[in-house]
Amino acid sequence: MFILTSDHEAVRDMAKAFADERIAPHAVEWDETEHFPIEIMREAAALGMGAIYVREENGGSGLTRLDSALIFEALATGCPCVASFLSIHNMVAWVVDRFASRELQHRYLPKLATMDSVASYCLTEPGAGSDAAALTTRARRDGDDYVLDGVKQFISGAGASDVYLVMARTGEGGPRGISAFLIDNGTAGLSFGANEKKMGWKAQPTRQVILEGVRVPAAQRVGAEGDGFKIAMAGLDGGRLNIGASSIGGGQAALDKALGYMRERKAFGRRIADFQALQFRVADIDASLEAARSLLWRAASALDDKGPDATRLCAIAKRVATDAGFNAANDALQLFGGYGYLADYGVEKIVRDLRVHQILEGTNEIMRVIVARGLIEN
């Protein structure tokens, strides 16, 4: 669990080399121009990072959740925003591979694997964030079709993505009345809100997804009617690991930048790297990242093994890793002094990108709720 095999190292090194060569040199520019680098993501997909844990027979790479954690940490050293969007796309691809009909798998997965088709995940609504089971988007059965009406909020890739995994209410209130659907961009009645002005994650669009009388065949439903919430939560277990890994990668990149700066910067006639107070600071950052990384690997192994405590461990790992990553980046910025506040060094961007990781894929408060409920009920 804690010693990587040569195969694990090869996967990690491949992703890190890609991040160093194709992502990191452009990350600040993409942030400033709000450019969505889909062409770079397709290059990543060509290396197997478009459908990481989709089965090989369905066009995926067939890798493990631990492999995925290694990949997303490595990619996030180049840009947490780009890595996180790839995580969302992979989450949708896995849901199709795990729960969709063979017809839908054959239709969607080959293009999802190459990212010739880009996917977005649509659960959150304006009035249903942490209380996701309270969603009100409605899917009404009409013969062989469903007709969907509602609004999804904070959807990464909205407008640019080709396919949307949408959770909608087909039955009673609460989680058992929710079903999942695949909806293609261009479907009549599907539209998008304005691109949100965000603190970070500027290299991907975030918009509302608006459904007004969107008619889709019943064959576009993923899984059985009423299984949508269960499917959504299953996808989020892996998504939480990925976003945690991306946080660690971003925090590690910020620490590495700070160490480079400390070796060069002089104050009071000495390198600031020689001041013991600052040495203690970087030692604490490194320890927090290493502890979070070990916990994340344990949770990934539990999810691979389908362990009974996998959901609890994924929630714990997401909370710990996203807190550790953000705090590492914020502390690294402090080590730069005033220069850390400038865009030129790329550290303030990492801080802005990682802040949202403590909110999405379930807020860190909700992670505590998941853990506490499991402890009390079991």
Side-chain angles (χ1 to χ4, degrees):
M1 184 185 298
F2 299 108
I3 299 176
L4 298 181
T5 67
S6 58
D7 288 342
H8 288 139
E9 291 175 347
V11 166
R12 179 198 62 194
D13 293 348
M14 174 273 297
K16 185 64 167 65
F18 184 83
D20 290 345
E21 296 168 12
R22 302 299 294 137
I23 298 177
H26 312 289
V28 171
E29 178 187 354
W30 292 339
D31 178 77
E32 291 175 347
T33 61
E34 300 190 6
H35 173 66
F36 186 43
I38 187 58
E39 68 284 353
I40 300 297
M41 296 187 205
R42 289 193 176 114
E43 291 181 25
L47 296 173
M49 292 183 275
I52 296 169
Y53 35 84
V54 168
R55 289 171 292 179
E56 291 183 89
E57 58 264 36
N58 280 338
S61 297
L63 297 178
T64 67
R65 299 295 182 152
L66 179 54
D67 291 318
S68 177
L70 297 172
I71 288 170
F72 285 111
E73 178 180 344
L75 290 175
T77 63
C79 177
C81 176
V82 171
S84 298
F85 185 81
L86 281 167
S87 166
I88 294 166
H89 173 90
N90 271 271
M91 182 165 59
V92 175
W94 177 80
V95 166
V96 176
D97 180 57
R98 174 67 179 80
F99 296 103
S101 66
R102 293 301 296 164
E103 177 188 352
L104 292 179
Q105 290 172 0
H106 291 151
R107 187 190 313 165
Y108 285 100
L109 285 174
K111 288 187 176 181
L112 290 175
T114 61
M115 293 193 74
D116 288 328
S117 183
V118 178
S120 288
Y121 178 90
C122 306
L123 175 63
T124 299
E125 297 184 359
S130 292
D131 187 10
L135 65 83
T136 59
T137 294
R138 172 67 63 177
R140 174 178 55 83
R141 190 67 185 253
D142 185 23
D144 293 332
D145 299 332
Y146 285 91
V147 180
L148 282 79
D149 291 279
V151 177
K152 296 296 180 177
Q153 183 75 24
F154 304 132
I155 306 304
S156 294
S161 290
D162 303 287
V163 60
Y164 299 85
L165 178 64
V166 176
M167 311 303 166
R169 187 164 303 285
T170 51
E172 64 186 75
R176 287 188 293 274
I178 296 169
S179 302
F181 301 88
L182 288 172
I183 300 177
D184 295 323
N185 200 347
T187 301
L190 179 67
S191 62
F192 309 97
N195 194 12
E196 303 286 0
K197 301 296 183 183
K198 308 188 295 289
M199 174 182 175
W201 270 30
K202 292 178 179 291
Q204 56 172 279
T206 304
R207 296 183 170 94
Q208 286 186 334
V209 171
I210 302 167
L211 304 112
E212 298 175 298
V214 173
R215 180 177 291 272
V216 296
Q220 292 293 112
R221 192 185 66 227
V222 177
E225 188 170 287
D227 282 351
F229 192 77
K230 178 179 70 175
I231 291 169
M233 295 302 104
L236 283 174
D237 277 344
R240 287 164 181 159
L241 292 178
N242 295 344
I243 214 69
S246 296
S247 298
I248 294 170
Q252 186 68 56
L255 174 59
D256 291 344
K257 289 176 185 289
L259 289 168
Y261 178 79
M262 290 169 63
R263 295 185 189 104
E264 300 294 330
R265 177 71 170 175
K266 291 185 177 180
F268 306 103
R270 302 165 61 189
R271 300 186 312 167
I272 65 172
D274 295 327
F275 290 104
Q276 191 176 62
L278 301 189
Q279 292 173 355
F280 284 1
R281 178 70 69 87
V282 297
D284 286 345
I285 296 171
D286 183 60
S288 67
L289 291 174
E290 195 63 54
R293 185 179 290 117
S294 296
L295 176 57
L296 192 85
W297 289 3
R298 184 189 173 198
S301 297
L303 191 58
D304 280 328
D305 292 340
K306 300 180 175 60
D309 58 348
T311 293
R312 180 180 68 89
L313 287 171
C314 288
I316 296 172
K318 190 269 182 184
R319 184 190 69 78
V320 170
T322 55
D323 284 348
F326 174 77
N327 290 337
N330 198 40
D331 287 346
L333 188 154
Q334 188 72 18
L335 292 168
F336 276 86
Y339 288 105
Y341 202 65
L342 303 181
D344 309 61
Y345 291 85
V347 179
E348 59 84 32
K349 173 198 176 297
I350 297 174
V351 174
R352 289 187 288 105
D353 281 347
L354 294 188
R355 182 61 185 87
V356 75
H357 290 202
Q358 296 168 300
I359 299 171
L360 50 78
E361 310 289 39
T363 66
N364 284 5
E365 290 74 22
I366 290 297
M367 297 305 98
R368 291 176 172 90
V369 170
I370 292 170
V371 174
R373 283 179 178 170
L375 292 172
I376 292 166
E377 293 172 4
N378 297 318

